[in-house]
Amino acid sequence: MTFIIVLLIAIVLLIIFAISIYNSLVGLRNQVKNAWSQIDVQLKRRHDLIPNLIETVKGYMNHERATLENITNARSKAVSAQGVSEKAKAEAQLTEAMGKFNLVVENYPDLKANQNFLALQEELTSTENKISFSRQNYNDQVLFFNNKIQMFPSNIVANSFNFKQEVFFEVEDKAERAVPKVSFS
Amino acid sequence: MWELIKSNQRKSIFLFLGMAITLVLLGYFIGSTFSPDGGGLFGVSIAIIIWTVLSIISLTAGSSLILSISKAQEVTPAVHQQLFNIVEEMKIASNLPAMPKVYIINTEAMNAFATGKNPSNSAVAVTAGLLSKLNRDELQGVIAHEISHILNRDTRFITYAAVMLGSIVIISQIFLRGMFYSGSGRRYGSKSKGGGQAQIIFLVIAILFAILAPIMARLLYFALSRKREYLADASAARLTRYPEGLASALEKISECTDELPSANKVTAAMYIANPLKKKGMKLSDLTSTHPPISERIKILRGMMHGVNYSDYQKAFSTIKRSSSQIIPASGLSDNSAIPLRESSEQLKEQQSAIDEKRKMGNIMMAVNNYSLLTCICGLKIKIPPAFGTNKPEIICPKCGNINKLELAGRI
């Protein structure tokens, strides 16, 4: 009799334990999804900032038509891009165009003294940072989730309820990783 | 992350329990002086009630209390957009559920602290001096350190501990003053002649304990806060991917001589660097709320290969030459290499400075008839004109490959 009671208590405890693991797995998976949507929010912020920037610098940079057009084109491509790989490609192009723009700005002391422009540039720097930090956070969340799926005892629950490992966000395009360099040769 | 927070709490719980036991003993001894049987328990319950009431008050109003003691003012994004941007960046990187409130303390001293009962209700405060003297990367390091305190639940824990310390101080002060003013000996002597012996012993113990308890509680409190600074530094390095930012910020903070007038011994534990430091004072003693700042800088700069918790632990062991575990084991289990980020501003400057020098050097060498030879390893060897007269070949200094001099061309 006592044996059966002990067994029942053990089973109930095990079930409660499994439920708590299941819940924490669901929570982690939602964190991963949330982190992914954060990246999109920041990318959209960058798209919204660019027309402002172009409007502010237009008067100063008559000789840099090509650079500015480059940014505008990259932006419109990025806005209309569909699908993950196409989006990543367009965003990488936009990042590259912005990098070139930042280098060109160094040649315009008037522009660098403009309060409006300085505020905008801080916004842009911050947005670029937020994009990379939200990617970093996404990868962190994926790491926690994947660790939980692989580690004992949560791996048993994960396997029986078919939790799949998530994929890390890698920057495929080399251009986005490398800081644009000027060559003097 | 959760495992890290939990084991961090488990470790601190011993120090916390030490303070709790001090509080209970204090209550017991004081209670016993009034009546040897039953008075002790009564004293304990009074002490616990005082602590509970103060804890409830501090949880509901603690943050605003600390902020107002420190003379911090809440600001809007319009006041300092960059500060808000950096806080938001770190909020994103740390996956904090809500944006912390941002406060500025109007003083030339350089310091910062965080407070809040949980990650959804938190605040960070920085001094005006910090804002004016740090660059963007450094400020980011400081904010990352503060957000780490919120994330690791240090802010709540330190509030509890501070309240416990406060209760102990209050109770012993009341007791000691009461003894002094009422002239205790006369009262006890006249009331009971039989049990007087035991009561006098309790009285002596109680007075001794009332004097010693606040000191003990303070030491425990400081030990508690010292431990947590290292972990917050490690988390900050991991969040920003750039330990040099925090390191050079700490360096600037340690060089700053302005004192923070609004800080006291209890709130000092909440700041990023001890606000009460005197120039030239050794900070590694028992009464310090923070680890020595020079050591923290060295550890951060020792993180050469990555910014994960295991890298911080490695740098800590090398620099302190101790094997003590500063990061809980669960934080070290994740060994994946996380590379360092490069500084946004310095990198640009450094690169263009190097390019500039190289360009000038090349011009000088071309004028002096040097020849250029590119080895298979990619190294560009610049050869002076007199070199080839006695030897037909040159050994690459990088890979050791032998290159024929006749292949060399003009720069």
Side-chain angles (χ1 to χ4, degrees), chain A residues 47 76-91:
Chain A
H47 298 164
S76 54
K77 252 189 223 160
V79 171
S80 61
Q82 298 291 330
V84 176
S85 68
E86 196 187 331
K87 255 187 192 169
K89 219 173 169 185
E91 291 297 341

Side-chain angles (χ1 to χ4, degrees), chain A residues 57-66 68 108:
Chain A
V57 301
K58 232 197 231 154
Y60 292 87
M61 302 173 98
N62 287 324
H63 305 294
E64 310 289 351
R65 221 22 39 111
L68 295 187
Y108 293 82

Side-chain angles (χ1 to χ4, degrees), chain A residues 122-123 126 129 136 141, chain B residues 85 89 95 136 239 241:
Chain A
E122 164 57 30
E123 278 305 286
S126 178
N129 284 350
Q136 178 183 313
Q141 298 305 325
Chain B
N85 282 339
E89 282 162 27
N95 206 23
R136 200 176 199 286
L239 282 182
R241 304 284 198 261

Side-chain angles (χ1 to χ4, degrees), chain B residues 25-36 38-44 175 206:
Chain B
L25 282 181
L26 185 70
Y28 181 79
F29 287 133
I30 291 178
S32 300
T33 59
F34 292 106
S35 128
L41 281 182
F42 184 69
V44 170
F175 175 70

